[in-house]
Amino acid sequence: MLDALEIETLLVRRGFVPIDTRTHAIGFAHPARDGHPIYLKDGRDRRDAPRKAVRRQPLVVHPAMAASPGFQTSRAVQLGGSRPYRNSNMTRFPKADGKSARGVAMGIVDDAALDEVLALLGLRIA
């Protein structure tokens, strides 16, 4: 299973850029993709502290993605799992209870699983 820092390296190699840096979540966007950003969990306890890898389902996607065709049967979900996740640091996701943003946290087992998730988001990386 890849941790958040390993996934970040892969995202940057695929052209993603950080757009929203918070204490417990870092948002990323791709210039070829309009729509919702994706977030990575961060285990640090202060924004000025060094980044700290999160291993348990570190990638967080917009909740609308969970309803997209192929999401539940994807290799990424089957091998890495997914679950609802709330964190007020994900400022570009919808608020669930007036203060906490909600998303779907996923485990990513390898590069191929990440590419599958990106394809489900409508982004094909060659």
Side-chain angles (χ1 to χ4, degrees):
M1 197 73 67
L2 299 176
D3 69 34
L5 298 178
E6 293 166 329
I7 295 170
E8 178 177 10
T9 298
L10 295 173
L11 288 174
V12 169
R13 283 186 191 153
R14 286 159 172 77
F16 281 80
V17 294
I19 58 165
D20 189 18
T21 302
R22 304 291 172 163
T23 304
H24 300 290
I26 312 296
F28 289 85
H30 193 282
R33 181 180 174 274
D34 289 332
H36 308 293
I38 57 178
Y39 280 90
L40 289 174
K41 296 177 185 177
D42 196 319
R44 63 188 168 178
D45 45 0
R46 296 183 333 267
R47 194 182 303 187
D48 61 347
R51 299 281 309 280
K52 186 175 175 185
V54 171
R55 291 201 168 278
R56 185 171 182 226
Q57 297 178 327
L59 181 71
V60 184
V61 297
H62 193 277
M65 184 182 170
S68 66
F71 179 79
Q72 294 300 329
T73 58
S74 69
R75 181 174 173 270
V77 170
Q78 296 299 311
L79 296 177
S82 71
R83 66 181 175 87
Y85 178 73
R86 293 178 187 222
N87 184 324
S88 61
N89 286 252
M90 300 183 305
T91 59
R92 298 178 188 218
F93 279 7
K95 305 280 187 206
D97 56 12
K99 57 183 175 182
S100 292
R102 60 187 175 90
V104 178
M106 305 178 68
I108 302 296
V109 294
D110 56 23
D111 288 34
L114 178 61
D115 287 340
E116 182 182 26
V117 170
L118 298 179
L120 288 169
L121 291 170
L123 187 61
R124 302 265 182 223
I125 305 291

